[in-house]
Amino acid sequence: EAQVTQNPRYLITVTGKKLTVTCSQNMNHEYMSWYRQDPGLGLRQIYYSMNVEVTDKGDVPEGYKVSRKEKRNFPLILESPSPNQTSLYFCASSFRGAYNEQFFGPGTRLTVL
Amino acid sequence: GDSVTQMEGPVTLSEEAFLTINCTYTATGYPSLFWYVQYPGEGLQLLLKATKADDKGSNKGFEATYRKETTSFHLEKGSVQVSDSAVYFCALSEGGSYQLTFGKGTKLSVIP
């Protein structure tokens, strides 16, 4: 089954404790992206990757890091999480670029205390 | 920069009512336009898209027409069902772009 998986689905952590949210897709897509969803703000793009070893900032990259060492994986790293990073996070992938249909993961709900 | 404005919700309709969710956009070039839908507890999924002026995207009874003259991409459905209850997002991406810009979303609730 073609899908995008994220782990964990739910995470409660404390300020400053480094964490990683994993994202994996099995569709051989070149493009992957991370979004955060906040009430009243919709979805905002954090980082995206055009292909292996090629990443770029989205609209709200501060406080986040990403890497793309393999085509299928695109982890999101919070080196020192803060309460304003409490949000619902989605990973997405597409064949090539944001102008193609993006397939979204189920989401990761993160709470930073 | 690019932006998308969609009508604020929530919108509550009775089953079989007509639905319109307004969406207008600002873009520097000639974007592709999308409607994504998010069912409760799930990720987003593409509902329909249009890539050039006057294109009509359609899926599952939903339609939207790319209107360049009014920079709009309104979502319509003639007869909604309870199963259509979800959050609907209008979005755009400039040709060849790696960024997708979303509107804030409109929550639709359909009551029997």
Side-chain angles (χ1 to χ4, degrees):
Chain A
E1 180 190 354
Q3 60 182 350
V4 178
T5 57
Q6 297 178 225
N7 282 292
R9 295 288 312 278
Y10 303 90
L11 179 61
I12 301 174
T13 189
V14 295
T15 299
K17 186 176 182 181
K18 180 179 179 179
L19 66 92
T20 298
V21 183
T22 64
C23 173
S24 182
Q25 50 92 5
N26 63 0
M27 295 169 278
N28 201 36
H29 284 165
E30 291 186 357
Y31 176 88
M32 297 185 76
S33 184
W34 276 102
Y35 300 89
R36 60 177 290 174
Q37 183 179 17
D38 301 290
L41 296 177
L43 276 85
R44 294 176 293 168
Q45 191 172 38
I46 303 171
Y47 269 96
Y48 59 92
S49 170
M50 298 79 92
N51 214 323
V52 176
E53 302 289 5
V54 184
T55 63
D56 206 349
K57 297 177 180 179
D59 296 319
V60 288
E62 294 77 20
Y64 304 94
K65 286 176 59 177
V66 293
S67 68
R68 186 95 181 270
K69 293 183 171 55
E70 305 167 282
K71 198 170 188 178
R72 62 183 295 125
N73 296 323
F74 189 44
L76 179 69
I77 302 157
L78 285 72
E79 295 264 355
S80 182
S82 62
N84 64 12
Q85 293 178 297
T86 293
S87 187
L88 180 58
Y89 291 87
F90 288 101
C91 180
S93 73
S94 73
F95 172 64
R96 185 176 296 155
Y99 49 91
N100 292 129
E101 175 182 4
Q102 291 194 50
F103 293 83
F104 283 77
T108 295
R109 185 166 292 280
L110 172 65
T111 301
V112 183
L113 303 175
Chain B
D2 296 347
S3 67
V4 175
T5 302
Q6 59 182 106
M7 63 186 288
E8 293 190 17
V11 175
T12 302
L13 295 174
S14 298
E15 207 164 22
E16 300 184 3
F18 184 85
L19 168 70
T20 300
I21 300 178
N22 290 336
C23 171
T24 58
Y25 68 90
T26 302
T28 53
Y30 300 94
S32 293
L33 301 174
F34 307 84
W35 278 101
Y36 279 84
V37 60
Q38 183 180 30
Y39 297 104
E42 298 183 9
L44 282 73
Q45 55 187 270
L46 180 67
L47 181 60
L48 53 84
K49 66 180 283 188
T51 58
K52 60 182 187 298
D54 300 324
D55 264 3
K56 176 184 281 189
S58 61
N59 187 23
K60 298 181 181 179
F62 291 89
E63 292 183 340
T65 301
Y66 190 142
R67 301 286 188 202
K68 191 170 186 298
E69 63 277 14
T70 55
T71 62
S72 65
F73 193 54
H74 305 321
L75 182 69
E76 296 181 336
K77 187 176 185 183
S79 176
V80 294
Q81 305 300 313
V82 172
S83 57
D84 293 326
S85 298
V87 181
Y88 292 82
F89 293 92
C90 186
L92 72 81
S93 181
E94 299 270 13
S97 170
Y98 293 99
Q99 293 196 267
L100 187 62
T101 300
F102 285 92
K104 294 183 179 181
T106 303
K107 183 176 182 179
L108 170 66
S109 297
V110 181
I111 55 177

